[in-house]
């Protein structure tokens, strides 16, 4: 810092300059601190759940408390960690840099989105502090409106408010990608992370308002006592499930598409090789986003939905596997004959590819009408979506965080510790969730605090894995903070990567680039493992 | 202000204008899905209980609804004329068109409020004053959707009226906003109009024929 020109971190240092900053890089860090807080709360609930399940009897917490714990875990992790995680932190930070824009298209809207997120989070945390919600994160009707004695309305309004954050972020990303690309940055020269963020943003803009309206109807029913979804009052509980999953299934792709984008950055950067089938990987993101809107009915195979509807939903769900598999095959093909480096981000990417594949393949089990009847609402489902959301999205989030950490902070993290954490996370994750596939297949239903003794061995294994996972998640917290003070200073391009974000300083100056780069080639140009950056005039 | 340079993140003013316009379209896409969800839920019940919904819908005041449709369509015509007046750089007609737009918007709210009052007196307001003996459970559901949809529409319209009045005041005072702003407010106004074009037949017309 001595003598070096000011960067976005050192330009101004007051608290006010952070809380009212419209700089996308600072807002990314505001979001980063907030989602870390929510990750810890959601994680704490998971710890208590796993502790309760070590013994077959319900002996640690009251059954009602247990219901509130898994609801809190789901609500916090889905809406206040996973949905915003990658887009609002890494996406916010990196998207304008990748386009060589000076900021997002609407910087003040970006700041407003953070305040919506904080306001929504505050309401939801308040609901939890007052006594919590016992409905499960899905708020199934008519339980949520007619019977639940928890603070449903407050929690739901919190989620409603956080939706504005999603919508404004998506809108900002869409306009930025269309209108603020550097000269020469054509659509087919965009990094694949941008394609995936764009696809995610379309879902954010089109699906979130449906959830907003659905939640408003739930509040209306609960407060006014009128039967929109409650059959005793003339409503239809299936309509709730249709409308809830119309958002919540695409929300899975909100969580995993950005992760897919990160892995598409990591694989060519650490294989030091052009991505295999760029256009297929790019359009696969769009295809996943589009088809993802048409598969929500696979959550309702046993709910009394028409069999013909189920057949169509089953077929369309299989269809999502095609673009997903295209991605996996193209990543693997990129590795072929690459100059592979096994740095920590790449270890996370490898972990992602394996876990995402298992999560995706078990998703096909669940898309099959007959098998789904057997495993609906069992631990098989729990394991499946944790493989996608935790094994997939969280692994990629950590991979991206390590990859861009030198750019964000200007410091290098300790590589040895980071590799150890990545490997520990992979084993801890599998130990936690693979036994849950077995449990589900044997018939253990989800959301129960007590179970027959013959399931205990699998639950103990899972809880042991969860402890391992907790250690693996805590490690980066320590060595990242350590690196802020004692880490070596990062060069502009520590990985020898090709994207525009590596052409500016680490950390970047407040306006991102001293002069606007002219883009001359695609994003992953390597000759014999040597990078050729996207622009040369910087 | 009108000759100012673009905000720092844009290279040119035209780039900034295009971005603002695209942002408004993306926002309207969100709004379409927001109202769309409500209309979809309503349509599901209308299909499930056609006779009950039609019986309840006959208690809406179709004449007032039709007058309001005309009022709102006329306001949109004035809004479109205002955008044309801005392009032609004619300040006086521009301000007058904006004022006419706002007055018609306010008239819509007034007529709607009168309707609400009549409905309250008749015992058609769920949760507050609802006469179950005459209208039943599905009737209550219909009127919940009625108040939900028209209420949300009125909130949107009120926001639009405030924006139009602020624009009229600024232009009248010789401090016109940067170019895409009027066009963006216009887009929003037409969107609120179109929502009503869908709500009117869905709410007022079931059960009116045969």
């Amino acid at each position: 810092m001595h003598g070096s020109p000011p960067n976005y971190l050192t330009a101004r240092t007051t608290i006010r300059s952070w809380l009212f900053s419209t700089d996308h890089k600072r807002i990314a860090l505001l979001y980063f601190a907030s989602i870390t807080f929510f990750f810890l709360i959601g994680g704490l609930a998971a710890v208590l759940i796993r502790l309760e399940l070590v013994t077959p009897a319900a002996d640690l917490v009251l059954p009602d408390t247990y219901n509130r714990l898994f609801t809190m875990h789901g609500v916090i992790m889905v809406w206040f960690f996973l949905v915003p995680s990658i887009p609002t932190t890494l996406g916010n930070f990196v998207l304008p840099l990748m386009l060589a824009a000076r900021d997002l298209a609407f910087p003040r809207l970006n700041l407003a989105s953070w305040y919506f997120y904080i306001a929504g989070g505050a309401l939801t945390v308040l609901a939890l502090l007052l006594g919590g919600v016992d409905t499960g994160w899905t708020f199934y009707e008519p339980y949520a409106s007619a019977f639940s004695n928890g603070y449903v309305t407050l929690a739901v309004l919190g989620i409603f408010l956080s939706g504005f954050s999603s919508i404004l972020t998506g809108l900002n990303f869409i306009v930025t990608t269309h209108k603020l690309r550097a000269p020469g940055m054509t659509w087919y020269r965009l990094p694949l992370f941008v394609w995936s963020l764009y696809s995610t943003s379309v879902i954010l803009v089109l699906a979130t308002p449906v959830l907003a309206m659905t939640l408003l109807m739930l509040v209306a029913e609960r407060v006014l006592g009128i039967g929109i979804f409650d059959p005793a009052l003339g409503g239809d509980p299936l309509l709730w499930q249709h409308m809830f999953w119309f958002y919540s299934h695409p929300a899975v792709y909100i969580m995993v598409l950005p992760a897919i984008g990160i892995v598409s950055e990591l694989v060519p950067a650490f294989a030091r090789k052009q991505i295999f089938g760029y256009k297929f990987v790019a359009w696969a993101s769009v295809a996943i986003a589009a088809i993802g809107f048409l598969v929500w009915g696979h959550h309702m195979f046993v709910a009394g939905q028409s069999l013909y509807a189920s057949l169509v939903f089953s077929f369309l769900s299989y269809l999502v596997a095609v673009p997903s598999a295209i991605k996996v095959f193209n990543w693997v093909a990129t590795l072929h004959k690459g100059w592979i480096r096994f740095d920590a981000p790449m270890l996370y990417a490898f972990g992602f590819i394996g876990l995402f594949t298992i999560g995706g393949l078990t998703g096909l089990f669940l898309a099959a009408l007959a098998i789904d009847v057997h495993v609906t609402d069992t631990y098989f489902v729990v394991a499946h979506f944790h493989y996608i959301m935790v094994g997939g999205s969280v692994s990629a989030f950590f991979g991206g965080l390590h990859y861009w950490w030198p750019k964000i902070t200007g410091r290098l993290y300790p590589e040895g510790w980071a590799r150890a954490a990545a490997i520990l996370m992979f084993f801890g994750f599998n130990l936690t969730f693979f036994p849950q596939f077995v449990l589900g297949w044997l018939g253990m239903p989800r959301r129960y605090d007590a179970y027959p003794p013959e399931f205990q061995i699998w639950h103990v294994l899972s809880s042991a894995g969860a402890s391992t996972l907790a250690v693996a998640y805590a490690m980066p917290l320590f060595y990242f903070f350590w690196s802020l003070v004692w880490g070596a200073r990062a060069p502009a391009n520590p990985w020898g990567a090709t994207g525009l974000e590596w052409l500016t300083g680490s950390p970047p100056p407040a306006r991102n680039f001293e002069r606007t780069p002219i883009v001359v080639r695609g994003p992953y140009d390597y000759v014999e493992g040597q990078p050729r950056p996207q622009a040369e005039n910087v | 202000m009108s000759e100012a340079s673009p905000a720092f993140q844009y290279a040119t003013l035209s780039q900034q204008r295009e971005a603002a316009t695209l942002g408004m379209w993306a926002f309207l896409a969100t709004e379409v899905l927001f109202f769309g969800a409500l209309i979809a839920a309503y349509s599901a019940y209308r299909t499930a209980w056609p006779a009950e919904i039609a019986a309840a819908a006959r208690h809406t005041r179709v004449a007032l609804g039709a007058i309001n449709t005309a009022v709102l369509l006329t306001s949109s015509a004035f809004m479109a004329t205002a955008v044309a007046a801005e392009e032609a750089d004619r300040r006086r007609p521009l301000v007058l068109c904006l004022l006419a737009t706002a007055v018609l918007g306010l008239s819509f709210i007034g007529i709607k409020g009168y309707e609400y009052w009549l409905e309250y007196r008749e015992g058609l307001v769920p949760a507050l004053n609802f006469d179950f003996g005459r209208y039943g459970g599905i009737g209550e559901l219909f009127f919940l959707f009625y108040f939900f949809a028209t209420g949300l529409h009125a909130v949107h319209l009120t926001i639009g009226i405030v924006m139009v009045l602020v624009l009229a005041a600024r232009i009248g005072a010789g401090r016109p906003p940067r170019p895409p702003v009027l066009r963006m407010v216009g887009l929003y106004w037409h969107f609120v109009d179109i929502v009503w074009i869908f709500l009117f037949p869905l709410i007022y017309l079931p059960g009116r024929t045969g």
Side-chain angles (χ1 to χ4, degrees):
Chain A
M1 297 185 194
H2 304 288
S4 56
N7 58 55
Y8 81 100
L9 293 168
T10 57
R12 289 191 300 152
T13 50
T14 59
I15 293 194
R16 203 187 139 77
S17 77
W18 279 90
L19 291 181
F20 296 101
S21 174
T22 54
D23 183 339
H24 67 101
K25 302 183 286 303
R26 287 192 165 202
I27 295 169
L29 295 188
L30 290 178
Y31 265 117
F32 182 61
S34 331
I35 66 160
T36 304
F37 170 74
F38 283 107
F39 184 65
L40 292 178
I41 302 186
L44 188 66
V47 166
L48 291 171
I49 292 168
R50 284 314 324 165
L51 274 178
E52 167 64 67
L53 292 173
V54 169
T55 56
D59 42 15
L60 181 69
V61 295
L62 296 169
D64 192 44
T65 311
Y66 185 81
N67 294 344
R68 284 156 207 268
L69 282 174
F70 69 66
T71 304
M72 170 165 114
H73 173 68
V75 167
I76 295 279
M77 285 302 203
V78 168
W79 281 295
F80 297 97
F81 176 70
L82 282 165
V83 164
S85 61
I86 295 173
T88 63
T89 58
L90 298 172
N92 229 335
F93 196 97
V94 174
L95 176 71
L97 292 174
M98 283 181 154
L99 305 175
R102 268 162 281 189
D103 206 312
L104 289 176
F106 310 116
R108 279 179 296 177
L109 216 52
N110 197 20
L111 180 65
S113 83
W114 182 70
Y115 278 100
F116 275 118
Y117 170 78
I118 291 297
L123 280 190
T124 304
V125 167
L126 181 66
L128 301 175
L129 290 178
L130 289 173
V133 180
D134 64 350
T135 59
W137 79 281
T138 47
F139 296 105
Y140 264 25
E141 290 276 15
Y143 182 78
S145 63
F147 302 102
S148 170
N149 58 359
Y151 288 82
V152 176
T153 306
L154 205 55
V156 159
L157 287 178
I159 296 165
F160 177 81
L161 273 185
S162 78
F164 285 95
S165 163
S166 290
I167 291 170
L168 296 180
T169 301
L171 187 154
N172 226 335
F173 283 8
I174 289 174
V175 176
T176 305
T177 308
H178 273 280
K179 295 295 173 193
L180 287 182
R181 305 195 305 277
M185 182 60 93
T186 59
W187 282 84
Y188 285 134
R189 285 177 178 172
L190 287 173
L192 290 163
F193 188 41
V194 177
W195 276 92
S196 75
L197 283 176
Y198 185 87
S199 311
T200 308
S201 300
V202 171
I203 306 176
L204 285 170
V205 165
L206 296 182
T208 315
V210 176
L211 178 73
M213 180 55 77
T214 310
L215 295 177
L216 281 185
M217 291 200 277
L218 167 59
V219 170
E221 169 161 290
R222 199 174 155 86
V223 173
L224 304 176
I226 295 160
I228 306 176
F229 303 116
D230 183 354
L233 301 169
D236 184 348
L238 268 196
L239 185 68
W240 166 266
Q241 297 186 24
H242 277 295
M243 299 191 70
F244 179 82
W245 290 113
F246 183 86
Y247 164 82
S248 292
H249 195 78
V252 174
Y253 302 113
I254 294 174
M255 302 178 220
V256 83
L257 272 173
I260 282 173
I262 287 178
V263 173
S264 302
E265 294 298 314
L266 298 180
V267 167
F270 291 91
R272 286 178 283 169
K273 191 163 158 278
Q274 166 76 32
I275 189 111
F276 182 85
Y278 170 90
K279 287 185 182 175
F280 280 87
V281 181
W283 281 103
S285 288
V286 180
I288 289 173
I291 304 170
F293 270 106
L294 307 173
V295 301
W296 78 87
H298 66 217
H299 294 269
M300 302 167 58
F301 286 161
V302 300
Q305 159 184 270
S306 119
L307 180 63
Y308 301 104
S310 290
L311 276 173
V312 174
F313 281 124
S314 171
F315 172 75
L316 288 168
S317 305
Y318 277 114
L319 215 56
V320 184
V322 175
S324 308
I326 285 175
K327 303 236 184 212
V328 172
F329 287 128
N330 284 17
W331 293 326
V332 174
T334 307
L335 295 175
H336 180 62
K337 291 189 175 175
W339 283 259
I340 301 172
R341 292 171 53 162
F342 292 91
D343 297 283
M346 189 58 158
L347 297 183
Y348 282 109
F350 282 137
F352 176 96
I353 296 173
L355 300 177
F356 177 72
T357 304
I358 295 176
L361 288 175
T362 50
L364 293 179
F365 287 46
L366 295 166
L369 292 176
I371 298 177
D372 185 68
V373 173
H374 178 59
V375 290
T376 286
D377 272 344
T378 68
Y379 268 80
F380 192 87
V381 177
V382 176
H384 154 71
F385 71 72
H386 280 87
Y387 264 77
I388 296 289
M389 292 179 186
V390 185
S393 299
V394 180
S395 294
F397 177 60
F398 274 100
L401 196 57
H402 285 80
Y403 181 57
W404 284 300
W405 186 258
K407 182 57 59 185
I408 295 171
T409 63
R411 301 288 183 150
L412 297 177
Y413 61 80
E415 186 61 42
W417 283 100
R419 290 186 198 187
I423 292 167
L424 194 64
M425 214 178 280
F426 181 78
F427 283 105
F429 176 84
N430 279 301
L431 187 55
T432 309
F433 290 103
F434 200 84
Q436 298 189 7
F437 278 128
V438 181
L439 274 171
W441 201 257
L442 294 175
M444 167 90 198
R446 65 192 289 200
R447 294 175 170 173
Y448 277 74
D449 56 344
Y451 53 85
E454 65 260 33
F455 290 146
Q456 188 176 14
I457 177 65
W458 302 106
H459 273 301
V460 168
L461 284 175
S462 182
S463 294
S467 318
T468 316
L469 204 49
V471 173
Y473 284 146
M475 282 169 67
L477 205 61
F478 288 107
Y479 65 70
F480 274 149
F481 271 114
W482 179 90
S483 78
L484 289 180
V485 184
W486 292 287
R489 295 208 179 271
N493 187 3
W495 307 115
T498 52
L500 295 181
E501 77 268 31
W502 304 108
L503 293 177
T504 188
S506 301
R511 294 285 162 90
N512 293 351
F513 290 88
E514 301 299 341
R515 47 190 287 224
T516 304
I518 312 278
V519 178
V520 291
R521 57 178 72 89
Y524 312 107
D525 204 332
Y526 291 86
V527 179
E528 299 285 307
Q530 293 306 311
R532 300 207 302 157
Q534 280 197 275
E536 285 169 350
N537 67 325
V538 178
Chain B
M1 279 298 284
S2 57
E3 299 303 316
S5 51
F8 77 93
Q9 70 272 32
Y10 298 101
T12 62
L13 264 179
S14 71
Q15 185 191 27
Q16 181 171 356
R17 287 174 197 172
E18 286 169 21
T21 309
L22 180 62
M24 184 44 100
W25 280 109
F27 174 71
L28 294 184
T30 282
E31 289 274 40
V32 167
L33 269 291
F34 184 65
F35 278 99
L38 184 62
I39 290 174
Y42 166 73
S43 303
Y45 288 115
R46 202 184 142 194
T47 314
W49 288 286
E52 289 85 345
I53 294 280
R58 275 195 287 272
H59 291 277
T60 56
R61 274 138 179 104
V62 70
L64 290 177
I67 291 170
N68 252 349
T69 308
V71 167
L72 209 52
L73 278 172
T74 315
S75 80
S76 259
F78 277 109
M79 190 73 221
T81 317
V83 171
E86 188 203 34
E87 279 168 7
D89 214 8
R90 305 266 308 270
R91 197 172 97 180
R92 230 180 101 79
L94 171 52
V95 174
L96 286 177
C97 281
L98 286 177
L99 287 177
T101 307
V103 166
L104 287 169
L106 284 168
S107 316
F108 180 97
I109 301 272
I111 295 169
K112 196 76 226 150
Y114 176 61
E115 254 184 285
Y116 284 170
W117 182 68
L118 291 178
E119 279 143 6
Y120 178 78
R121 274 202 329 193
E122 204 184 306
L124 289 173
V125 185
L128 275 181
N129 176 23
F130 196 82
D131 186 346
F132 263 103
R134 287 165 67 192
Y135 309 110
I138 300 300
E140 192 186 28
L141 194 59
F142 170 84
F143 276 98
L144 178 74
F145 277 114
Y146 164 79
F147 281 104
F148 211 148
T150 57
L152 275 174
H153 177 261
V155 168
H156 278 77
L157 185 60
T158 308
I159 294 170
I161 293 169
V162 171
M163 289 195 296
V164 168
L165 285 176
V166 169
L167 279 183
R170 285 190 56 175
I171 295 166
R175 292 184 298 108
R178 287 178 172 220
V181 172
L182 180 71
R183 204 170 258 277
M184 285 163 70
V185 174
L187 280 176
Y188 176 84
W189 191 272
H190 298 314
F191 167 77
V192 176
D193 188 357
I194 287 173
V195 169
W196 182 257
I197 300 296
F198 279 88
L199 290 183
F200 175 69
L202 284 170
I203 286 174
Y204 288 85
L205 300 188
R208 300 282 178 186
T209 56

